[in-house]
Amino acid sequence: MTAVDQTLRATKTTCPYCGVGCGVLATPDGNGGAGISGDPEHPANFGRLCSKGSALGETLGLENRLLYPMIRCSKGSMERIAWSDALDHVAHRLKHIIARDGPGAVAFYLSGQLLTEDYYVANKLMKGFVGSANVDTNSRLCMASSVAGHRRAFGADTVPGCYEDLDEADLMVLVGSNAAWCHPVLLQRMVANKERRGARIVVIDPRRTDTAEEADLFLGVRPGTDTALFSGLLVHLADRCALDRDYIDHHTDGFDEALTRGRSIAGSAAATALATGLSETDVAAFFQMFAATPRTVTLYSQGVNQSAQGTDKVNAILNCHLATGRIGKKGASPFSLTGQPNAMGGREVGGLANQLAAHMGFTPPDIDRVRRFWKAPRIATHEGLKAVQMFEAIGRGEIKALWVMGTNPAVSLPDADSARGALKKLELFVVSENVLGNDTVDAGAHVLLPAQAWGEKSGTVTNSERRISRQRAFLAPPGETRPDWWIVSEVARRLGFGAAFDFHSPAEIFREHAALSAFENNGSRDFDIGALQALSDKAFDGLAPVQWPHRLGDTEPQQRFFAEGGFFCNDGKARFVAPEVPALRTETTAARPLRLNTGRIRDQWHTMTRTGVSPRLGQHLPEPFVEVHPDDAARHGLVDGDFARITTDYGQCTLKVVVTARQQRGMLFAPIHWSEATASAARVGALVVPVTDPFSGQPENKATPASIVPYDYVFRGFALSRTPLRLPDHAWWASVAVTGGFGYLIADKADLAGWSAWLRSAAKSELAEYCDFGGGVYRAASFAAGRIEVCLFLGPAGDAGDWNVVKEMFATGVLDDNKRKALLSGQSMEGVANAGPVVCACFGVGRTAICDAVASGAASAAEIGTQLKAGTNCGSCIPELKRLISQVGSAESAQRSLAAAN
């Protein structure tokens, strides 16, 4: 973690990564950076931060920042332009396209990285004044199935529980959630409950992730069978008289139909086992555990949501909680784990194309209510296009203008190559960003508008437990950057809507947003923060984290929903939903015999725009990879550490092979983070099938039919440079943030002489070289003022040189003559320790130090933490620490046995 002098003035703000919504203390260092620590008073994290949050101070530089507006000139290049000219151009082109083709020809694509105030203004402009609901967000790829499931069951997009339930539950069921890596602060809260109170943890996932290391029971279901598992559970609860009949009778409707459907899907433990690929013993154990534990929280995330059956999966889970009355009670609720920092805030303001605003929809009463509140001249009267359909409409030429704010759809959307191709067809393509380039910008943006980044902008975000927190600025905005709400308001003014967008601060926008939430509400809608609609600017600046609803006249916010009913369907009752029989929408074939699952890794975020610049975060898993079960590896000729080419009907990637029994047979797993800007052949989104859930519109990211074949490279190696390098087109490469410059991991088939020529053209000074072309080894470096300026190490696999040693020498700065001479040996040397790959990113502890500690007697993760601090912050590395303890112990035991035999 970044050390912070607590005598300096710290700003309380909120982390910009996942939906946990951790409080952060940021202390500016006077040089454009800041010291970072967790806020011990914030109720989301009580001072804990994950590896990404701990490294925020390393991501605040201005490298690759977009600092002023730019426009594509007639020559095709981007040129600087004045703000007034850029805004005039955007407004003029929008006005022309709307007049010619109608409001449906324009669209906004927003981001869960936006603040609520930014979201509110963008949504208001499009839906209330342009008259189009073509406003969607990357939250569609993240949480849309939870939204749809909540609305079907509860009548509103309501999360019933809160984080405190994780402290009070006796059983916690994680479904499709690798919380150890994706929500580590919350998982450590669950583990603490397990240690303190004896709570049990069940993990349901096709992959045996690090989260499963904390499980009392792991259920490795077949992909797409979650609905069958929870349908079987509903049947078991009914047959074992474990239902809350009073709750069902008084507060719900549709139970009999849902139970009948459940029996047809999985009418017994045996049938459930057959449908899910589990053993009947494990199924029965889970059913008994759930039935016998009133205080149960079921937590679900992307493994549930990112599915063409995602909404049914959500409702199958909700059915079990409704049937037992385990909802909105202390330690008992279904709980959706949100992926992005403000996915919830975007849902509050209607950021999705099938929402209007303030949790209202496109019903005639809601349309009229919002129209009157906004005094909207041409309010949208029907739902717009959801993300995947929006980009398909762009590809067909139906949408002519698109404004993208703070996201990278050319990487993150399914069938991403088609999405990128569609962007090139736009008549007007506007991007509000804080980086000069990414895959979306490079797809042909016509106008770039420089937005403020985290640490510079100010407003609110809402986390997974409905808690509104302030993001506060603690750095001066660089260059000509502006808040997103200001940019949108200025365009609105130029479109002729100035009176409705005369905002001068985020506090003004928040007050209007709060007032709309309370407008003609009187408890009829779940989202209501009317108690905050009159906050002064000073009170807004000092706003402490607060949950909603917080209705006008209430002394305290409401913590939970639905313990006593009170749902938001017309009759006040919840709806059981009879799900469809689960079946994946795609089939494997002889040509595509495997299924590709995609997801996140521990230390990276989305397309690495922010995390990718942190040297600490780049060391745990530095290369894009694909996980393969040993049986599949043998069948397809794959070797751990080599490369493979993965092909689907939509694209190809070339990734490093990781052979692991933690992966299910017939399945591949590849992370989503690498883009064209950060790797040569690892845009995994380009492989994903674009089928979507019929209710939520969320794409299926977890089960694309795929094939895999070995892909051989003659040479492996790495390059380090003080400035960015453009590597040869024939090379496979992945960029890695390193201290002092830029790192690249490389593989290639080309001859070494060509690499020597390339390096000579890239180096600014004379090279020192070691060449053994016959042995396939080439090492070279140039120096400036005693420092490595650029170096290249290539050789056969395992013989290119020690990446960790050379990286440390590169970071050291000035090298003495002996070290400079020894550098090209590529091996460890006196005074330069090989720490090995980083295991604990929070404190930068490498595998070598951890293994040494274990060999010296550290027998638990706690003992390693005492010695090295590893695992004592977010805890996301604890499962790996436990594995290393086991591995080192097994190796030492084998050595002792061998010695005894001799």
Side-chain angles (χ1 to χ4, degrees):
M1 296 178 68
T2 308
V4 174
D5 183 348
Q6 296 295 339
T7 63
L8 298 176
R9 185 175 180 275
T11 296
K12 287 178 177 272
T13 186
T14 308
C15 181
Y17 292 121
C18 77
V20 176
C22 293
V24 171
L25 296 176
T27 306
D29 62 10
N31 297 309
I36 299 295
S37 64
D39 181 356
E41 297 179 354
H42 198 290
N45 60 315
F46 298 109
R48 278 189 182 271
L49 290 177
C50 75
S51 58
K52 296 178 289 296
S54 298
L56 276 166
E58 299 173 21
T59 70
L60 298 174
L62 298 183
E63 185 75 36
N64 197 38
R65 278 298 299 272
L66 175 65
L67 297 175
Y68 41 77
M70 303 185 78
I71 193 167
R72 193 169 300 280
C73 68
S74 57
K75 301 175 184 176
S77 59
M78 300 299 291
E79 294 188 357
R80 184 173 180 173
I81 188 175
W83 261 114
S84 58
D85 293 337
L87 296 166
D88 287 347
H89 177 80
V90 171
H92 172 75
R93 295 296 297 141
L94 284 173
K95 190 177 295 186
H96 170 76
I97 292 168
I98 293 166
R100 185 190 67 199
D101 300 308
V106 299
F108 286 176
Y109 189 63
L110 311 179
S111 167
Q113 305 293 304
L114 296 177
L115 302 182
T116 300
E117 293 72 22
D118 304 321
Y119 253 131
Y120 180 86
V121 174
N123 192 57
K124 179 181 179 180
L125 173 58
M126 277 292 282
K127 290 177 181 169
F129 291 77
V130 171
S132 170
N134 288 339
V135 181
D136 215 49
T137 164
N138 60 14
S139 297
R140 178 70 60 190
L141 314 180
C142 168
M143 297 305 301
S145 294
S146 285
V147 174
H150 292 164
R151 292 174 72 175
R152 288 206 296 179
F154 306 150
D157 176 21
T158 313
V159 174
C162 58
Y163 292 165
E164 187 181 285
D165 294 327
L166 307 182
D167 307 325
E168 303 293 338
D170 295 318
L171 176 64
M172 290 162 286
V173 182
L174 291 114
V175 192
S177 168
N178 186 11
W181 281 13
C182 300
H183 299 95
V185 169
L186 292 187
L187 183 70
Q188 289 309 304
R189 199 160 173 170
M190 299 179 223
V191 172
N193 179 10
K194 180 179 179 178
E195 294 172 349
R196 187 182 74 256
R197 300 179 60 255
R200 292 174 294 177
I201 296 175
V202 175
V203 172
I204 302 167
D205 201 307
R207 296 174 65 219
R208 191 176 183 94
T209 64
D210 274 16
T211 305
E213 300 298 314
E214 303 294 349
D216 297 276
L217 177 65
F218 171 68
L219 301 177
V221 294
R222 280 201 299 258
T225 62
D226 310 75
T227 299
L229 180 64
F230 283 90
S231 294
L233 175 58
L234 185 66
V235 172
H236 175 86
L237 295 169
D239 290 348
R240 298 301 186 275
C241 299
L243 304 173
D244 187 334
R245 280 290 179 183
D246 185 66
Y247 194 90
I248 292 171
D249 292 343
H250 288 91
H251 303 303
T252 72
D253 190 26
F255 174 75
D256 290 340
E257 293 85 347
L259 180 59
T260 299
R261 181 63 56 80
R263 290 194 188 280
S264 71
I265 293 172
S268 66
T272 304
L274 187 64
T276 59
L278 300 170
S279 73
E280 187 175 346
T281 300
D282 283 348
V283 169
F286 170 54
F287 286 0
Q288 291 162 13
M289 220 183 282
F290 193 102
T293 313
R295 287 195 174 191
T296 296
V297 176
T298 304
L299 303 108
Y300 45 95
S301 194
Q302 307 308 9
V304 169
N305 291 314
Q306 289 183 332
S307 168
Q309 307 88 33
T311 305
D312 273 357
K313 291 181 183 181
V314 170
N315 284 114
I317 293 168
L318 299 184
N319 285 348
C320 295
H321 278 267
L322 290 170
T324 52
R326 296 173 187 173
I327 187 164
K329 297 175 181 175
K330 184 176 287 190
S333 250
F335 199 102
S336 166
L337 288 174
T338 315
Q340 290 197 81
N342 204 27
M344 292 287 279
R347 287 147 67 175
E348 291 162 11
V349 303
L352 294 168
N354 54 327
Q355 301 172 328
L356 190 48
H359 280 206
M360 288 181 272
F362 285 96
T363 64
D366 283 351
I367 293 168
D368 181 63
R369 185 179 298 112
V370 177
R371 178 190 60 78
R372 287 184 286 108
F373 181 88
W374 278 345
K375 299 180 175 58
R378 51 176 72 86
I379 195 163
T381 57
H382 58 275
E383 296 180 2
L385 294 173
K386 303 177 179 73
V388 174
Q389 290 72 34
M390 178 186 290
F391 279 79
E392 290 172 348
I394 294 170
R396 293 191 301 269
E398 296 165 11
I399 291 178
K400 315 286 188 182
L402 177 70
W403 190 344
V404 174
M405 301 182 197
T407 186
N408 196 1
V411 179
S412 56
L413 281 169
D415 192 12
D417 285 343
S418 292
R420 182 168 62 178
L423 294 172
K424 298 180 183 297
K425 299 180 180 181
L426 290 162
E427 292 183 27
L428 175 65
F429 179 20
V430 182
V431 179
S432 298
E433 255 298 352
N434 51 47
V435 293
L436 269 171
N438 59 29
D439 288 31
T440 299
V441 170
D442 297 341
H446 301 134
V447 183
L448 298 180
L449 303 176
Q452 290 174 0
W454 183 80
E456 302 156 7
K457 59 185 181 180
S458 184
T460 60
V461 292
T462 306
N463 74 357
S464 300
E465 64 166 349
R466 296 174 280 104
R467 190 176 298 277
I468 298 167
S469 295
R470 289 279 281 108
Q471 268 195 22
R472 295 181 174 90
F474 55 87
L475 297 174
E480 297 179 15
T481 58
R482 297 289 188 272
D484 289 282
W485 64 261
W486 180 90
I487 299 170
V488 177
S489 296
E490 285 296 307
V491 170
R493 185 170 65 81
R494 286 163 169 79
L495 290 173
F497 311 129
F501 293 85
D502 189 24
F503 299 118
H504 299 91
S505 70
E508 285 186 31
I509 303 166
F510 183 83
R511 285 192 287 267
E512 181 175 306
H513 165 54
L516 175 57
S517 76
F519 183 58
E520 298 179 354
N521 191 330
N522 301 316
S524 62
R525 303 191 302 276
D526 63 338
F527 178 66
D528 186 342
I529 52 172
L532 306 177
Q533 65 183 308
L535 284 181
S536 66
D537 287 4
K538 183 177 180 180
F540 179 77
D541 287 343
L543 182 66
V546 57
Q547 278 183 292
W548 65 257
H550 194 5
R551 305 181 194 278
L552 192 63
D554 288 355
T555 56
E556 294 291 334
Q558 181 178 327
Q559 194 174 22
R560 297 178 177 88
F561 281 91
F562 310 140
E564 304 298 330
F567 294 93
F568 295 96
C569 299
N570 290 337
D571 58 2
K573 292 185 175 184
R575 300 290 188 266
F576 283 92
V577 174
E580 296 298 319
V581 176
L584 292 171
R585 294 265 298 279
T586 56
E587 298 287 343
T588 56
T589 64
R592 303 278 185 263
L594 305 169
R595 288 195 182 274
L596 174 66
N597 176 11
T598 70
R600 284 175 46 194
I601 61 174
R602 192 187 76 187
D603 296 336
Q604 297 296 348
W605 178 255
H606 287 198
T607 61
M608 299 198 291
T609 302
R610 183 183 287 112
T611 53
V613 302
S614 166
R616 237 192 310 171
L617 298 180
Q619 303 312 311
H620 181 234
L621 294 171
E623 295 167 296
F625 62 89
V626 57
E627 286 186 354
V628 190
H629 188 275
D631 291 354
D632 292 321
R635 185 174 299 111
H636 296 281
L638 306 173
V639 176
D640 186 71
D642 283 355
F643 288 83
R645 177 155 288 175
I646 300 91
T647 304
T648 73
D649 290 346
Y650 305 93
Q652 291 184 337
C653 282
T654 305
L655 307 172
K656 193 83 169 280
V657 174
V658 176
V659 178
T660 172
R662 294 157 65 84
Q663 181 64 39
Q664 197 172 115
R665 290 179 183 85
M667 292 292 295
L668 307 172
F669 171 80
I672 61 172
H673 306 289
W674 280 269
S675 66
E676 196 168 77
T678 54
S680 59
R683 290 174 62 250
V684 170
L687 276 60
V688 174
V689 59
V691 300
T692 58
D693 180 284
F695 303 102
S696 69
Q698 185 152 2
E700 169 69 88
N701 285 61
K702 302 295 186 182
T704 302
S707 61
I708 188 168
V709 295
Y711 198 84
D712 295 327
Y713 288 106
V714 178
F715 306 113
R716 310 278 183 86
F718 55 87
L720 295 160
S721 175
R722 301 294 169 185
T723 57
L725 296 174
R726 180 176 176 82
L727 294 166
D729 291 340
H730 52 72
W732 181 97
W733 59 269
S735 63
V736 186
V738 298
T739 301
F742 302 85
Y744 304 87
L745 297 169
I746 300 167
D748 196 21
K749 294 182 177 182
D751 66 275
L752 294 178
W755 277 99
S756 175
W758 169 82
L759 185 61
R760 290 178 184 281
S761 66
K764 298 177 182 177
S765 55
E766 186 176 347
L767 287 173
E769 293 180 292
Y770 170 80
C771 303
D772 178 8
F773 289 161
V777 177
Y778 176 72
R779 301 176 189 140
S782 68
F783 298 87
R787 297 191 317 164
I788 301 170
E789 194 66 20
V790 63
C791 65
L792 174 66
F793 286 65
L794 292 172
D799 196 28
D802 194 314
W803 157 256
N804 289 301
V805 167
V806 178
K807 179 163 57 72
E808 288 302 313
M809 296 179 72
F810 183 79
T812 298
V814 177
L815 303 179
D816 61 33
D817 288 343
N818 289 334
K819 288 181 179 176
R820 287 177 59 183
K821 291 175 183 177
L823 171 68
L824 298 187
S825 74
Q827 303 302 314
S828 185
M829 60 197 73
E830 184 179 354
V832 183
N834 182 355
V838 167
V839 174
C840 175
C842 294
F843 295 106
V845 184
R847 184 181 298 165
T848 302
I850 293 166
C851 291
D852 288 347
V854 175
S856 299
S860 68
E863 291 177 17
I864 293 173
T866 300
Q867 288 188 37
L868 303 174
K869 299 182 76 174
T872 60
N873 182 40
C874 72
S876 61
C877 64
I878 289 175
E880 190 165 349
L881 299 182
K882 292 178 178 178
R883 286 199 297 276
L884 289 173
I885 292 168
S886 176
Q887 291 167 11
V888 172
S890 298
E892 290 182 342
S893 176
Q895 288 175 357
R896 286 193 296 269
S897 299
L898 183 62
N902 293 332

